[in-house]
Amino acid sequence: MAGRAPTDLRHALACLDPLPGELVRVTEELPARFGVSARYARWAGAPAAPPTGPGPAVLFDRVRPEHGPTRAVLMGLYGTRRRAAGLLGCTPAELPHRLLAAVRSPHPPVPAVDPAGWPREELPLDLTALPVPVLTDEDAGPYLTLGAVLATDPETGVRNLSVHRMCVQGPDTLTIWMVPGRDLELAYRAALRRGAPLPVAIHLGLGPAVLLSSCCPTALVPPGIDELAVAGALAGQPVELLRCRTVDAEFIANAEYVIEGELLAETAPESPHGVVATPEFLGYQGRAHPSLPLVRVTAITARDRPILQAVSGPGHEQSVLLGFGMEAAVLDLLARRGTPVRAAHCHTAGGGQLMVVLQWPAKCGPEDDGTVRAAAEAVLTQFRMAKLVLCVDEDVDVESDQDLWWAMVTRFQADLDMVVLPDREGFALDPSQHTGYSRAVSADGRTAKAVFDCTVPYAQRARFRRPRFTELSPPAPRRPAAPLPR
């Protein structure tokens, strides 16, 4: 998968097709309600409930919606870190550095050079005719789990692309959850101040560079930087845009589906079932959110034989998507502090956000013992979502759970090597960050954070050397035998 990044979702799948075990095709017809998720569960990976493990990308060729024709659904394209990075022509360790370089040298998007080269069919204005998976019987309805929303702030003129979960409420209505204070919510508030809805284009099925860029945290891609410009630099070519047909907005030309619409001031009433959520990326059922904003859909367009891309909620895939951008932001923070590390790895067990592994170069003196812990505390302070930081030496493989646990067991003493930061701002989707769980936190969504320093103390370094198996030297070439005397 080396070389230029795939330009769109179909190119990405074509790159995987010849690789053994990377892409599985399911040809039997399955219902969108429970059928897709039940078949995919064994490949979802933790934090999905066991038995499960990271697996291939899975293309379900014939998924039956509530009504209408069967269509394709893709799950698990980013289900392993190696595959996600490989689609961008690099390794997991290289991808955060590629993201940093893209943020520093963005390539702005451009109008599509040949609009006729991107033919699209206008589908009936009916979301219930799309094969949107329903994951569990607790879900409020079908959820767009990987809907990338493109909108322009009416006050700043800056575009924002971000992934949001949206629940289908009817043929032309969605509800959307926006993180307060993030770019889309700010653009929405700006539109409301002007007394107008916010035009949006919702994409289902995008190329790897665009989707990964849309998942980057604000610490890496701050307001004022266009995620599409970051995606263009990451892909090595600018993203092409077209104008929407029914709203004053743009959309990404190669998207599989585009849902045009307006984000309204009106909100939806609370679900009569009391549950308006779907399983979240940390492995628990999401919280109910009453009175969510409504998106009124004005058009649905698609490429020929479109592929609807979705994620399973809990599982490796969403954690992988979130983790790489977080890693880049951590590397940037530590570089600016003058304490660069060899690698940062946001573990999928923490949803790609809550657990950060820092790999340190060899210590040069006793002062480096304190440097490691101070840098780890800085990460916990700077990043609200980060809850645990695990520090390891350069001889530990950060991609290996076995190696991380080995370092924890043999290079950690709880009374010496753990630092606890009590009652800090955290992340409410972690159910342990709750006053009912801990009396030490002052409010829900606050948490105790911890540094686990599994690096070897400088003074003890000679005692912790890992032996290496000795390699055999290649045999010396034989001299040709001397001819026998006659």
Side-chain angles (χ1 to χ4, degrees), residues 138-141 143 167 169 175 269-278 285-292:
E138 294 183 70
D139 289 12
Y143 270 82
C167 185
Q169 299 292 330
T175 50
E270 186 172 359
S271 166
H273 306 291
V275 177
V276 291
T278 190
Q285 186 69 19
R287 291 185 175 186
H289 293 285
S291 303
L292 290 173

Side-chain angles (χ1 to χ4, degrees), residues 353-436:
Q353 301 274 294
L354 275 69
M355 178 178 173
V356 183
V357 181
L358 299 179
Q359 185 190 52
W360 290 90
K363 294 177 180 177
C364 298
E367 67 279 358
D368 286 346
D369 293 337
T371 298
V372 166
R373 297 192 184 190
E377 289 184 38
V379 171
L380 292 174
T381 300
Q382 177 68 29
F383 296 99
R384 174 179 64 90
M385 300 274 281
K387 180 182 181 184
L388 308 176
V389 172
L390 177 66
C391 298
V392 297
D393 292 298
E394 60 186 351
D395 64 343
V396 175
D397 181 359
V398 297
E399 297 282 345
S400 166
D401 288 351
Q402 290 288 332
D403 235 24
L404 293 177
W405 278 113
W406 171 84
M408 175 71 81
V409 168
T410 67
R411 298 182 176 182
F412 176 81
Q413 285 292 316
D415 59 336
L416 298 175
D417 298 320
M418 183 167 66
V419 179
V420 177
L421 308 180
D423 199 20
R424 302 300 175 95
E425 184 181 12
F427 183 57
L429 285 182
D430 170 4
S432 74
Q433 300 184 28
H434 191 276
T435 54

Side-chain angles (χ1 to χ4, degrees), residues 31-42 60 75 133-136:
R33 178 175 289 272
F34 312 143
V36 169
S37 57
R39 283 295 301 272
Y40 181 68
R42 66 188 176 111
F60 298 91
M75 303 278 282
V134 179
L135 302 177
T136 78

Side-chain angles (χ1 to χ4, degrees), residues 1-6 84-105 209 212-213 216 220 230-237 324 328 331:
M1 290 185 284
R4 175 176 283 186
L87 285 169
L88 290 162
C90 60
T91 66
E94 293 167 341
L95 184 48
H97 298 280
R98 289 273 306 275
L99 280 167
L100 279 170
V103 171
R104 291 163 182 162
S105 301
L212 275 165
S213 298
C216 288
L220 180 65
V230 175
L234 194 59
Q237 60 188 45
F324 284 120
L331 290 172

Side-chain angles (χ1 to χ4, degrees), residues 137-222:
D137 57 9
E138 294 183 70
D139 289 12
Y143 270 82
L144 309 183
T145 52
L146 209 56
V149 181
L150 184 63
T152 299
D153 189 306
E155 293 181 350
T156 66
V158 175
R159 273 185 299 260
N160 171 251
L161 182 72
S162 49
V163 172
H164 300 266
R165 292 189 178 186
M166 289 159 276
C167 185
V168 176
Q169 299 292 330
D172 65 348
T173 310
L174 294 161
T175 50
I176 183 172
W177 162 247
M178 295 174 284
V179 178
R182 295 293 297 269
D183 291 350
L184 182 62
E185 201 260 352
L186 294 177
Y188 171 58
R189 296 295 174 193
L192 293 185
R193 286 193 292 271
R194 294 176 170 227
L198 180 68
V200 295
I202 302 166
H203 305 77
L204 300 170
L206 291 168
V210 175
L211 196 58
L212 275 165
S213 298
S214 74
C215 295
C216 288
T218 303
L220 180 65
V221 185

Side-chain angles (χ1 to χ4, degrees), residues 13 18 59 78 108 185 303 338:
L13 294 178
L59 183 61
Y78 308 101
E185 201 260 352
R303 297 177 67 175

